[in-house]
Amino acid sequence: MSAPESFYDEVGGSPTFTGIVARFYAIVEDDPVLRPLYPEEDLGPAQVRFRMFLEQYWGGPRTYSDQRGHPRLRMRHAPFIIGPAERDAWLAAMAKAIEPAGLTDSARERLWAYLVMAADSMVNSLH
Ligand code: HEM
């Protein structure tokens, strides 16, 4: 018996995640709420870290942990002030990035439910 297909495989593997994350960062680049939060001028390395994380989370290669160790995402976001406005801007950018990915309704709903939950858990300020 073969192992059940991971969500990563089900949605098309690396090209799907690469596309979503590239579109997301293209929006961040021009977003007046999100762009100032990113410490580096070049968003390329941040884009790679986020793609590796998502691929690993959904059952793809474990490159994120090989390179970055345990995700500890709340701790890694602590240096940035993330209130409801930043969370909403992040989710709005992500919704636009996911739209063209061609996911089935059920895959999109599963991905979206996770992202909303994760974005809520990253809020660290009520400013
Ligand atoms: C890193 C902002 C939500 C995953 C970062 C960075 C910023 C940021 C400014 C630093 C960029 C870098 O140098 O890597 C935000 C904001 C969010 C948010 C404003 C709004 C709620 C999320 C969510 C996830 C996520 C929901 C996961 C589903 C990551 C990852 C990194 C990262 C994996 C790189 C961590 C590392 O250093 O290895 N984020 N983020 N972020 N974010 Fe977020």
Side-chain angles (χ1 to χ4, degrees):
M1 234 174 67
S2 58
E5 202 179 42
S6 63
F7 184 85
Y8 171 83
D9 290 323
E10 186 190 318
V11 300
S14 193
T16 299
F17 288 92
T18 302
I20 291 172
V21 171
R23 287 188 292 274
F24 175 77
Y25 271 97
I27 297 167
V28 168
E29 187 85 60
D30 290 329
D31 189 292
V33 175
L34 296 174
R35 185 62 187 91
L37 293 174
Y38 287 78
E40 291 173 38
E41 197 185 322
D42 178 6
L43 291 176
Q47 184 170 324
V48 171
R49 287 189 279 271
F50 186 40
R51 176 183 54 75
M52 291 189 305
F53 171 81
L54 285 180
E55 291 186 349
Q56 172 170 317
Y57 179 86
W58 292 105
R62 301 200 50 85
T63 324
Y64 179 86
S65 282
D66 290 346
Q67 293 189 11
R68 307 287 295 161
H70 190 286
R72 296 180 208 284
L73 284 189
R74 238 187 100 75
M75 187 196 80
R76 290 194 204 260
H77 286 77
F80 316 115
I81 296 173
I82 302 178
E86 287 75 18
R87 175 202 56 202
D88 291 349
W90 192 98
L91 283 170
M94 189 47 85
K96 286 191 202 138
I98 290 172
E99 212 173 73
L103 304 187
T104 62
D105 287 351
S106 91
R108 198 182 55 248
E109 280 161 23
R110 202 173 152 199
L111 178 61
W112 188 246
Y114 162 73
L115 291 169
V116 170
M117 179 280 295
D120 272 336
S121 79
M122 242 49 97
V123 171
N124 55 24
S125 162
L126 291 175
H127 75 119

